[in-house]
Amino acid sequence: MSVIICSTKIMYENGVCSTDVATSLKNIAAKQQHSVYMVSNHSKPTWFDAHFSGSSVKFLQELGRQKGTIISSIADAEASTIFDVIVLAYSKIDVQMGTNGNALIIGASWSNEDYVRNLGISSGTPSDFEKIVDTISSWDNLWWHHVDFCSYTVSSLSDLSGYNQSQPQSDFSARITKVVKNGGNKLNSLLAITARSLLKDNITNIEKTMWGIYPSSSSTNNDTDVLSEFSHRLRTATTRARHAKREEPLFIRHSASPKRSKGASTGRSIPNNQIETIHINPFYKKSLKDKNVILLDDCTTYGVSFGVAAALLLKGGAKSVKTIALGKFGNCLKGYDIDIHSDPFSPIPSTGYTFNGLISSPGRSYQANQNSLINIL
């Protein structure tokens, strides 16, 4: 179930009360699993009944709605949770309401405020918003798999090992690349289901966060990797935290590494190639201290990238490391016990680390709806 909350201003496109917006909201409300509320600091507008009479779209007057308490009130009334609430934002006050209420915020691109149009997740048209809501509602808001390796955690959005076994890992990466580059509804839907899983995981309670991505095997180190923009947008959709500076990636790939999806000669579960080709951007030498880092990668099989990244970040002063993979392949995921002996903000020599072995942990799995992610990609 999804609970949609918006303001009366959402109805306006180019200063005119829009029948398209009204139609989409009524379509959403007509589905049994959805509820739609229009809230305002002011009394019900004269046009509300004309547009919504006979529908299940509800109006509520709430003074000081930007404080966000209306989010939990409506969630309680619907016997739902705040993680099921989506705020369709038209104004900065709508964003404040959603942020303070810990709801998922989707910006309306027909807003006249740049602040809203530039949100991490946005909807181009009212009908686009309908499609995004349908996709979100088919997701169960949990990770497919989560494992705590003590020094860092790994959360995987979805298990892709079974949906088409003839498809190699690199094919999924290509699909992710296509979705991220093309933008539009697919990207916004992928962002939305990832954001809901993070909100369900209480990301809003994590303080002093820093976000980043694990660089590609031949990264140009200018923050243009496929997942860079995705990470920037996901951060703004789930936290108020400052991202790593634009054009200053968290990690530097100082030399190309073999693509892990094609298999390295030293073995795909051995971290040496990764440790010796990557280091933390020295730009963050001071600001990384005591930060809770959230790191994204498109997919994981053995967990090498996350183990290497966690070892470097913790050596660099990070307080904790939470890693997220959009896709997980197979049952080979392991933790990596790596000690870094040299400066993690510079290239690590072969004598600058010790790989102590793999760590096994069963983690916990959820029955996420695979079809949602497959249809997006």
Side-chain angles (χ1 to χ4, degrees):
M1 176 181 182
S2 291
V3 180
I4 314 304
I5 300 178
C6 58
S7 68
T8 54
K9 288 186 176 181
I10 202 70
M11 287 287 291
Y12 290 91
E13 286 188 282
N14 301 317
V16 178
C17 206
S18 169
T19 56
D20 289 341
V21 176
T23 297
S24 290
L25 292 178
K26 287 188 289 187
N27 288 343
I28 293 170
K31 297 178 180 180
Q32 187 175 3
Q33 71 269 34
H34 302 324
S35 296
V36 179
Y37 287 80
M38 191 168 285
V39 299
S40 175
N41 290 332
H42 308 288
S43 57
K44 184 169 71 173
T46 55
W47 49 256
F48 183 87
D49 287 338
H51 281 287
F52 296 107
S53 178
S55 76
S56 55
V57 177
K58 306 175 183 67
F59 176 84
L60 287 177
Q61 183 178 12
E62 175 74 9
L63 299 178
R65 64 186 178 87
Q66 60 268 34
K67 295 178 182 178
T69 54
I70 186 66
I71 302 293
S72 57
S73 295
I74 291 177
D76 289 344
E78 293 291 335
S80 186
T81 71
I82 58 173
F83 307 113
D84 296 315
V85 176
I86 303 169
V87 170
L88 177 59
Y90 185 91
S91 67
K92 192 169 184 177
I93 290 179
D94 297 337
V95 176
Q96 291 172 338
M97 175 178 65
T99 300
N100 291 330
N102 295 329
L104 176 63
I105 305 170
I106 297 179
S109 294
W110 58 92
S111 167
N112 57 9
E113 296 188 22
D114 289 338
Y115 181 86
V116 173
R117 291 199 298 266
N118 293 328
L119 287 173
I121 306 175
S122 61
S123 173
T125 66
S127 60
D128 286 343
F129 180 68
E130 281 188 68
K131 296 173 184 176
I132 293 172
V133 169
D134 285 341
T135 302
I136 292 173
S137 298
S138 65
W139 195 255
D140 69 357
N141 315 329
L142 289 171
W143 307 112
W144 174 269
H145 189 74
H146 175 86
V147 58
D148 188 342
F149 289 119
C150 296
S151 60
Y152 67 101
T153 65
V154 178
S155 298
S156 305
L157 189 70
S158 183
D159 183 2
L160 299 168
S161 55
Y163 85 92
N164 191 338
Q165 300 235 8
S166 64
Q167 300 274 0
Q169 179 175 330
S170 56
D171 178 70
F172 174 68
S173 299
R175 293 180 185 213
I176 289 289
T177 300
K178 184 177 179 180
V179 167
V180 172
K181 284 188 174 181
N182 290 347
N185 276 340
K186 287 188 174 183
L187 175 59
N188 282 315
S189 294
L190 181 60
L191 280 163
I193 63 174
T194 309
R196 289 193 89 180
S197 292
L198 280 165
L199 290 170
K200 186 78 173 181
D201 217 18
N202 293 317
I203 193 170
T204 53
N205 293 332
I206 302 176
E207 299 179 346
K208 296 183 178 180
T209 57
M210 178 176 286
W211 290 64
I213 66 162
Y214 194 79
S216 62
S217 56
S218 56
S219 175
T220 55
N221 301 318
N222 59 3
D223 202 26
T224 58
D225 282 55
V226 171
L227 285 181
S228 292
E229 183 63 22
F230 185 90
S231 176
H232 283 289
R233 294 179 65 180
L234 184 61
R235 185 270 306 173
T236 62
T238 54
T239 70
R240 302 181 223 185
R242 173 186 173 280
H243 191 288
K245 181 178 172 60
R246 293 268 184 170
E247 301 181 0
E248 288 286 355
L250 184 57
F251 284 102
I252 299 295
R253 176 74 72 180
H254 54 264
S255 59
S257 69
K259 285 188 72 67
R260 287 158 287 149
S261 60
K262 296 182 179 179
S265 59
T266 56
R268 294 178 60 190
S269 62
I270 304 301
N272 303 56
N273 279 329
Q274 295 301 312
I275 300 173
E276 295 174 25
T277 59
I278 192 176
H279 65 275
I280 306 173
N281 188 342
F283 180 86
Y284 300 105
K285 199 161 191 174
K286 293 182 179 179
S287 57
L288 180 60
K289 184 175 175 57
D290 293 328
K291 291 294 193 305
N292 295 298
V293 179
I294 301 167
L295 190 76
L296 275 76
D297 204 353
D298 55 356
C299 52
T300 186
T301 300
Y302 295 93
V304 178
S305 58
F306 290 151
V308 170
L312 291 170
L313 290 166
L314 293 170
K315 177 66 175 180
K319 182 179 179 180
S320 70
V321 179
K322 178 180 179 64
T323 64
I324 298 167
L326 299 181
K328 170 183 171 290
F329 289 84
N331 299 313
C332 303
L333 183 67
K334 300 289 185 181
Y336 283 74
D337 183 4
I338 302 169
D339 289 330
I340 305 295
H341 309 310
S342 60
D343 181 7
F345 297 94
S346 300
I348 308 295
S350 58
T351 57
Y353 65 93
T354 303
F355 172 40
N356 302 312
L358 301 173
I359 306 169
S360 296
S361 177
R364 65 177 189 266
S365 296
Y366 305 101
Q367 296 303 309
N369 185 345
Q370 294 297 96
N371 291 328
S372 297
L373 186 59
I374 295 168
N375 290 337
I376 289 173
L377 300 179

